[in-house]
Amino acid sequence: MTPLRIDILTTFPEVFSADPPAFLGASIPARARRAGLVEWRAFNLRDHTRDKHQKTDDRPFGGGPGMVMTCQPVWEAVHAVEAIDPRPATRILLTPQGRPLRQGLVEELAIKPRLLLIAGHYEGIDERVVERLKPQEVSIGDYVLSGGEAAALVLMDAVIRLLPGALGHEGSASEDSFSMLPGESIRLLDCPHYTKPREWMGMAVPGVLLSGDHGEIARWRLDQRRARTRERRPDLLNP
Ligand code: ADE
């Protein structure tokens, strides 16, 4: 299998470094990269500016606080980076105004051959380049980050762990929170988990988990998932 290719356009390429190990240099993304399931490369938007100060932003027309990223570096960087590889890239702009990143969208992205992530900064990017590039706009939640980099890392982590072979145990992603179980049409939260010792601070592990009855254990786990979802995230039950 050819690895999933992820290109990131950013003014902070060091955030995506795997060497020395930063966030993506540790744990599952690092292992997936070493196993050849994914490759990623960050490109500095400043390398695609035309002015001598390598400015990627300017003051907003109409006034107001903050800066706006200019069209030209984003436009040229997208085309230069896309030309490196003939496979079509799914363009994604990380922005709080985007489609919420949920597991269903993560699953859609994990089967693409190539992703191009654009991490915006400042007050956002000039709307005209968004209109022309037509990226999917994606938000990781209803809060504002100081830039799209942290959002891009979140998206990458969520996508990479779904690549076949990324997790040690093949079944584990399909039983996570928000995964759709076979025969279910809704996404449930995960059930509680326990490990040794059997008793800790006077608290015993639920007996069913020690029973060795796999059918009974599966039923208990599903009941727990349903009960937790009802209690904590009733919105998930009426998608
Ligand atoms: N950039 C700033 N805030 C963001 C968010 N919540 N999601 C994605 N990109 C962002």
Side-chain angles (χ1 to χ4, degrees):
M1 273 259 298
T2 40
L4 165 66
R5 177 179 180 126
I6 307 177
D7 295 300
I8 309 115
L9 304 184
T10 169
T11 45
F12 297 94
E14 63 277 8
V15 169
F16 301 90
S17 163
D19 182 29
F23 178 68
L24 292 170
S27 183
I28 289 164
R31 220 179 47 215
R33 183 179 175 130
R34 280 198 301 273
L37 307 177
V38 59
E39 56 191 11
W40 66 84
R41 230 176 114 185
F43 296 86
N44 197 334
L45 282 166
R46 283 186 211 291
D47 296 339
H48 298 271
T49 51
R50 294 221 185 136
D51 77 296
K52 61 176 186 291
H53 303 295
Q54 296 193 299
K55 248 167 79 91
T56 57
D57 62 334
D58 217 321
R59 305 228 303 276
F61 280 125
M67 300 289 271
V68 178
M69 292 179 72
T70 52
C71 293
Q72 178 269 326
V74 177
W75 176 257
E76 292 195 11
V78 165
H79 290 95
V81 169
E82 285 185 349
I84 295 172
D85 188 311
R87 287 175 293 172
T90 299
R91 296 173 179 167
I92 297 169
L93 172 66
L94 284 313
T95 160
Q97 286 111 60
R99 171 178 169 192
L101 183 67
R102 299 212 177 89
Q103 196 66 13
L105 176 54
V106 174
E107 288 165 6
E108 283 173 33
L109 299 178
I111 55 175
K112 304 278 187 199
R114 187 176 180 202
L115 306 177
L116 177 74
L117 308 183
I118 307 166
H121 242 263
Y122 317 108
E123 290 302 301
I125 71 178
D126 190 311
E127 190 62 23
R128 293 168 296 182
V129 74
V130 181
E131 259 176 55
R132 275 294 161 92
L133 290 173
K134 296 190 171 47
Q136 286 197 44
E137 298 182 56
V138 173
S139 164
I140 66 159
D142 293 345
Y143 39 80
V144 179
L145 304 165
S146 38
E149 284 78 12
L153 289 172
V154 167
L155 184 149
M156 288 171 70
D157 187 302
V159 166
I160 290 169
R161 63 192 300 290
L162 291 188
L163 299 176
L167 300 178
H169 180 278
E170 266 323 298
S172 39
S174 61
E175 289 170 16
D176 279 343
S177 284
F178 310 116
S179 59
M180 213 176 288
L181 293 176
E184 295 271 337
S185 57
I186 47 176
R187 294 172 183 275
L188 299 173
L189 297 182
D190 202 359
C191 60
H193 298 281
Y194 301 88
T195 185
K196 287 172 192 161
R198 285 175 177 226
E199 199 183 303
W200 180 77
M201 285 200 174
M203 301 158 84
V205 169
V208 57
L209 298 178
L210 309 173
S211 68
D213 182 338
H214 296 294
E216 198 57 38
I217 292 170
R219 273 189 294 281
W220 180 86
R221 286 184 169 153
L222 185 55
D223 285 347
Q224 290 286 318
R225 295 182 67 148
R226 289 194 175 121
R228 281 204 159 181
T229 307
R230 220 177 301 120
E231 191 185 320
R232 301 180 185 191
R233 291 291 305 277
D235 58 299
L236 292 176
L237 300 174
N238 302 298

